[in-house]
Amino acid sequence: MRTPESRFNLANFMRVHLFTSLGALKTGMDILIKQEGVQIDEIFGHGGLFKTAGVGQSIMAAAMNTPVSVMETAGEGGAWGIALLASYMIHREEGETLEQYLNEKVFNGETGTKMSPNPEDVKGFDEFIVRYTKGLAIERAAVDNLP
């Protein structure tokens, strides 16, 4: 929802869509980080959000307040990730963890980029997620009042 003081322009319209795509993830990650004390050093991103270099990566870094790395294969989506998991289940060595398999057999030698979160973007995403969370009640009321 826009407020009366919101600046409606194409850039903000697109930005809110990208932010919203990470709303549920941000909510869950906040529980893990802020309530459960989980420490995250770095996130590796892949999927359609990362097809345009730097865009999804910067937004993900802001949402998670964590560096995000993407490799050349980052634009590949969920089917690719599922295929990797299947390959791990079939080809893993005795006692080999998924982390070892990915680091040594899948991503070994891959090049990519690491982007740290911009503090202003983190602040902006944190402000967004407060409004996003409050807006869930609006969506619930709309659903409850549909015929």
Side-chain angles (χ1 to χ4, degrees):
M1 291 207 36
R2 289 188 303 120
T3 60
E5 65 276 355
S6 295
R7 289 187 342 233
F8 185 74
N9 57 43
L10 182 59
N12 287 341
F13 180 71
M14 297 308 294
R15 190 169 181 87
V16 76
H17 279 76
L18 293 168
F19 276 27
T20 301
S21 73
L22 298 174
L25 177 66
K26 168 71 171 167
T27 301
M29 294 302 287
D30 279 353
I31 291 168
L32 289 175
I33 295 167
K34 295 175 182 176
Q35 296 176 21
E36 301 294 327
V38 172
Q39 169 98 22
I40 300 173
D41 299 321
E42 181 178 6
I43 293 175
F44 287 84
H46 81 271
L49 182 65
F50 303 101
K51 280 201 177 280
T52 302
V55 176
Q57 187 177 10
S58 67
I59 292 171
M60 176 73 80
M64 302 298 115
N65 194 16
T66 301
V68 174
S69 291
V70 294
M71 296 183 179
E72 291 177 359
T73 56
E76 303 305 321
W80 184 74
I82 296 301
L84 284 179
L85 289 174
S87 178
Y88 165 71
M89 295 303 293
I90 294 168
H91 301 291
R92 69 180 171 185
E93 314 237 346
E94 185 70 33
E96 184 176 35
T97 66
L98 177 59
E99 181 180 11
Q100 291 168 328
Y101 181 81
L102 292 173
N103 287 337
E104 296 167 12
K105 296 181 179 165
V106 176
F107 297 122
N108 189 11
E110 288 286 323
T111 59
T113 59
K114 183 176 185 176
M115 183 180 288
S116 293
N118 176 315
E120 285 298 312
D121 288 344
V122 172
K123 182 179 180 242
F125 203 101
D126 285 345
E127 291 170 3
F128 165 81
I129 203 67
V130 168
R131 290 190 307 270
Y132 172 90
T133 302
K134 287 180 180 179
L136 294 175
I138 298 167
E139 286 197 38
R140 170 64 12 204
V143 168
D144 289 346
N145 289 288
L146 288 175

